[in-house]
Amino acid sequence: MNTTNSEQPRDFIRDIINNDLQTNKYGGQVHTRFPPEPNGYLHIGHAKAICLNFGIAADYNGLCNLRFDDTNPIKEEQEYIDSIIDDIRWLGFDWENRLYYASDYFEQMYEYAVQLIKAGKAYVDELSADEIRDYRGTLTHPGRHSPYRNRSIEENLDLFGHMRAGEFPDGSRVLRAKIDMASRNLNMRDPVMYRILHSEHPRTGDKWCIYPMYDWAHGLEDSIEGITHSICTLEFEDHRPLYDWFLDELGIYHPHQIEFARLNLTYTVMSKRMLLELVQKGQVSGWDDPRMPTISGLRRRGYTPESIRNFSRRIGVAKTGSTIGIALLEHCLRQDLNKQAQRVMGVLRPLRVVIDNYPEDQVEELDAVNNPEYPGAGTRKVPFSRVLYIERDDFREDPPKNFFRLAPGREVRLRYAYFITCVDVSKDEQSGEVVELHCTYDPATRGGDSPYGRKVKATLHWVSAKYALEAEVRLYNQLFIKEDPTNVEDGADFKAYLNPNSLEILASCRVEPSLANATPGSRYQFERQGYFCVDPDSSAGKIVFNRTVPLRDTWAKIEKHEDK
Ligand code: ATP
Ligand code: MG
């Protein structure tokens, strides 16, 4: 953790950039890009890369492009493109008019490939995919030359033209770079540049039936856009020699690829393939299920863009991988929601309370504070009446030693209202379950003030039975029971570690009437219960809330401990 909230971050990438600015390597320019492949929704790991790329551009008065790396037509869809655009905007970043698609460069890439063939640096191979793998060798054994490696330039040009023209079936030929089959770096053993794929592309339709491979395409995209610092994750470190080789052989503008460690979070998976599987197999309700680590899932859950940006700043960037505890992300969220969220009262598991000495038809509008962090947020009225609901957990007929809330004969404070004392308990004759409490109130305690210095040990939240609104509340737990679900024991699958209790639905909660017009996406703190966000599933008859996060902050405790 090398930064606090407001300081300018300092990290190895910014050190490189500072150095490049000093030596005027790129004419004083800083131009980054965020290059998602539109084959899934963005997740919190992508948010780290987005904050990094857009953040660096902003810090250095530079530019950051949004570029869809749409080179694989099989897995890519418009739905993903739309969601990615929404998510990055929501995070608070702007690419102005610099929205690009790799597919717009296909013609240029093709010409570059022809240039390499003409230089004797690329050839059309007819080995099958299996044979290519077999010929590639291993880390300990050099590869072997393909029998097609020494075709003439003319023959290669001719065959590549026929590949493009659609005259060969899928998988029958590829274009490969001619580098070094004995290289210690497997990526340099004549990597494939183009494959044949008779597949409709979302943007180019059936114009192309050969598609460029990532390693070939990515450096070209960066070069064409004049990117200065091409920031990517660590798994591409071994690909950098190839990135450099292509650009050097072509003799074109050459950005600098820099790798950083990807974000991993505890108790979740961060691979699009796995997230897609959860969606397709119905393990979650969709990409935006509030348990998903996707940006759309976090948004629906109630995360704020500020909290995600702040989290990204706090974790910083480094060259070595690490796994961040989900508690830190939740801590950043609570810090922000504590400032932003209006306080309200909501009872998740209602227990009926009748105030025996309160007049039957009376209603009082009591003042409640909207946000103690901001006195300017003002107050609102909450109705108090003879029949109320309190939280079932806040009552014990037979209280254990450390239980200070309501119990027979005991007095507690109702927040903003009165002191009440429990005088009787009604139970279901069959089950013995407590169904209703009878209490008395002390009119001298209006507003929750303590008269004559009388002390109570607990303050409970409550709602008026008559005026409260019905609500459904969805409580969430970690999606996985294992800290690293991808670390599977023999033969197991990451799905074996799904938490069967990751979602609990409370169908008949009650919330105060001020929430009548709450719109989807609005965030609240339910006093004592956590932060909640209105779900789009809400209807006129029933508001649906997602619990974003409970109040208890384990990270804040850790920090406090460290400060001591
Ligand atoms: P996946 O492996 O899950 O399919 P990806 O890395 O292939 O993800 P891309 O769409 O290619 O997904 O990612 C776009 C950018 O986001 C890349 O530059 C990638 O390095 C970065 N990125 C992806 N995952 C993470 C992560 N967990 N942490 C940081 N950056 C990430
Ligand atoms: Mg990728």
Side-chain angles (χ1 to χ4, degrees):
M1 227 97 340
N2 44 12
T3 59
T4 53
N5 292 358
S6 50
E7 280 171 28
Q8 178 87 314
R10 193 59 213 279
D11 52 59
F12 79 97
I13 297 181
R14 285 171 169 91
D15 287 346
I16 292 171
I17 294 176
N18 289 337
N19 197 50
D20 289 347
L21 289 174
Q22 250 166 29
T23 59
N24 207 31
K25 186 169 169 194
Y26 295 105
Q29 300 297 308
V30 175
H31 199 152
T32 57
R33 85 286 174 263
F34 176 67
E37 186 184 349
N39 61 352
Y41 280 57
L42 298 179
H43 53 60
I44 181 79
H46 293 114
K48 173 178 177 173
I50 293 167
C51 292
L52 184 63
N53 280 297
F54 281 95
I56 281 177
D59 288 352
Y60 289 94
N61 251 322
L63 300 171
C64 180
N65 297 353
L66 171 59
R67 178 205 309 147
F68 286 104
D69 205 349
D70 57 346
T71 51
N72 180 1
I74 296 175
K75 293 183 176 167
E76 295 164 2
E77 289 174 24
Q78 187 62 38
E79 177 195 348
Y80 298 140
I81 291 179
D82 296 342
S83 76
I84 290 169
I85 286 177
D86 280 354
D87 287 348
I88 305 175
R89 284 234 172 86
W90 178 78
L91 275 174
F93 297 106
D94 184 12
W95 48 91
E96 297 167 317
N97 58 351
R98 295 179 313 281
L99 169 59
Y100 300 119
Y101 291 87
S103 55
D104 288 344
Y105 312 141
F106 281 171
E107 189 65 46
Q108 172 90 68
M109 289 177 186
Y110 180 84
E111 279 160 30
Y112 282 140
V114 167
Q115 186 187 330
L116 275 196
I117 295 173
K118 285 183 176 161
K121 300 286 183 179
Y123 61 99
V124 172
D125 199 356
E126 287 171 44
L127 294 181
S128 68
D130 284 342
E131 287 166 328
I132 289 180
R133 206 170 305 124
D134 187 42
Y135 274 63
R136 183 172 292 131
T138 64
L139 284 172
T140 48
H141 288 86
R144 285 174 289 145
H145 285 183
S146 161
Y148 304 99
R149 196 174 197 257
N150 287 320
R151 290 196 214 265
S152 69
I153 288 173
E154 289 67 36
E155 195 182 355
N156 280 317
L157 285 173
D158 183 57
L159 283 170
F160 191 47
H162 290 297
M163 275 171 67
R164 175 183 181 160
E167 291 163 27
F168 302 125
D170 290 2
S172 62
R173 279 165 186 79
V174 291
L175 184 73
R176 296 178 74 175
K178 196 190 252 186
I179 309 181
D180 178 5
M181 288 305 290
S183 173
R184 292 177 152 276
N185 184 337
L186 294 178
N187 296 310
M188 301 299 274
R189 294 186 186 171
D190 291 10
V192 173
M193 296 163 60
Y194 278 93
R195 58 191 170 145
I196 302 173
L197 211 56
H198 291 266
S199 175
E200 188 98 353
H201 185 283
R203 287 179 56 82
T204 58
D206 59 4
K207 175 156 185 231
W208 294 89
C209 61
I210 56 171
Y211 288 96
M213 304 301 288
Y214 179 88
D215 282 328
W216 163 246
H218 203 81
L220 300 182
E221 296 159 20
D222 288 341
S223 176
I224 291 167
E225 291 177 17
I227 300 304
T228 56
H229 301 86
S230 174
I231 301 168
C232 62
T233 38
L234 221 49
E235 69 272 22
F236 292 105
E237 196 168 25
D238 288 345
H239 297 242
R240 184 170 7 108
L242 182 53
Y243 182 100
D244 292 338
W245 188 89
F246 282 133
L247 297 177
D248 286 343
E249 291 299 329
L250 291 167
I252 57 178
Y253 171 76
H254 193 152
H256 179 180
Q257 176 180 304
I258 305 170
E259 309 86 17
F260 70 100
R262 58 172 52 223
L263 168 67
N264 292 305
L265 268 187
T266 54
Y267 298 103
T268 191
V269 295
M270 207 94 86
S271 130
K272 276 190 272 188
R273 180 183 62 75
M274 290 179 181
L275 296 174
L276 176 65
E277 201 179 329
L278 294 177
V279 172
Q280 284 177 339
K281 297 230 159 95
Q283 304 280 8
V284 292
S285 65
W287 283 98
D288 69 344
D289 186 301
R291 292 166 293 179
M292 291 279 270
T294 50
I295 296 178
S296 54
L298 295 170
R299 175 167 64 226
R300 186 163 176 189
R301 175 89 168 244
Y303 274 75
T304 61
E306 292 83 350
S307 64
I308 295 174
R309 293 201 305 262
N310 191 28
F311 170 73
S312 298
R313 201 157 39 225
R314 287 195 58 163
I315 57 175
V317 277
K319 261 287 189 201
T320 42
S322 68
T323 300
I324 307 287
I326 187 86
L328 176 60
L329 178 61
E330 294 185 341
H331 170 68
C332 295
L333 175 64
R334 287 190 189 93
Q335 271 192 327
D336 191 35
L337 289 176
N338 183 43
K339 285 184 282 172
Q340 291 200 11
Q342 178 177 320
R343 274 56 168 173
V344 293
M345 290 196 284
V347 175
L348 304 190
R349 297 174 181 88
L351 173 62
R352 228 172 110 90
V353 174
V354 181
I355 312 289
D356 290 337
N357 60 340
Y358 195 86
E360 194 99 30
D361 299 323
Q362 186 169 312
V363 195
E364 285 175 272
E365 296 284 340
L366 303 172
D367 289 316
V369 174
N370 285 335
N371 188 344
E373 299 287 315
Y374 279 115
T379 58
R380 67 188 184 286
K381 300 288 186 191
V382 275
F384 185 87
S385 59
R386 180 177 153 94
V387 183
L388 311 169
Y389 288 114
I390 64 165
E391 209 68 62
R392 195 161 268 281
D393 288 351
D394 282 338
F395 173 79
R396 291 285 181 88
E397 194 177 11
D398 198 4
K401 219 160 129 213
N402 290 321
F403 185 90
F404 300 113
R405 291 167 269 165
L406 199 58
R410 194 180 281 177
E411 185 172 50
V412 296
R413 173 190 291 110
L414 293 184
R415 182 93 156 134
Y416 305 121
Y418 292 101
F419 285 16
I420 60 166
T421 303
C422 178
V423 293
D424 198 12
V425 181
S426 316
K427 293 192 210 172
D428 182 281
E429 273 175 23
Q430 307 260 300
S431 65
E433 193 197 16
V434 174
V435 290
E436 186 176 275
L437 304 180
H438 286 268
C439 295
T440 55
Y441 85 113
D442 178 354
T445 58
R446 193 174 198 272
D449 289 336
S450 170
Y452 335 113
R454 196 161 92 229
K455 291 267 179 356
V456 286
K457 285 205 169 135
T459 300
L460 311 186
H461 60 276
W462 54 276
V463 294
S464 153
K466 188 166 171 193
Y467 297 98
L469 310 171
E470 266 205 54
E472 173 179 313
V473 169
R474 299 173 183 171
L475 302 177
Y476 300 101
N477 281 307
Q478 286 131 351
L479 191 49
F480 291 93
I481 48 175
K482 196 171 183 215
E483 203 170 295
D484 178 5
T486 61
N487 179 15
V488 294
E489 274 121 50
D490 342 81
D493 176 280
F494 76 100
K495 295 194 296 306
Y497 305 114
L498 276 165
N499 177 3
N501 303 313
S502 58
L503 169 63
E504 184 184 356
I505 297 179
L506 304 175
S508 41
C509 309
R510 296 286 192 287
V511 298
E512 62 171 72
S514 73
L515 288 166
N517 297 317
T519 48
S522 317
R523 305 180 187 92
Y524 299 91
Q525 184 194 100
F526 286 13
E527 299 215 14
R528 300 174 64 227
Q529 295 288 10
Y531 295 99
F532 294 75
C533 181
V534 181
D535 192 84
D537 284 349
S538 300
S539 60
K542 196 174 220 176
I543 319 180
V544 178
F545 288 95
N546 296 309
R547 180 158 73 185
T548 311
V549 67
L551 290 177
R552 205 166 70 98
D553 190 337
T554 49
W555 184 264
K557 274 200 192 127
I558 295 167
E559 269 189 344
K560 237 188 193 157
H561 198 72
E562 282 172 350
D563 284 349
K564 273 183 195 153

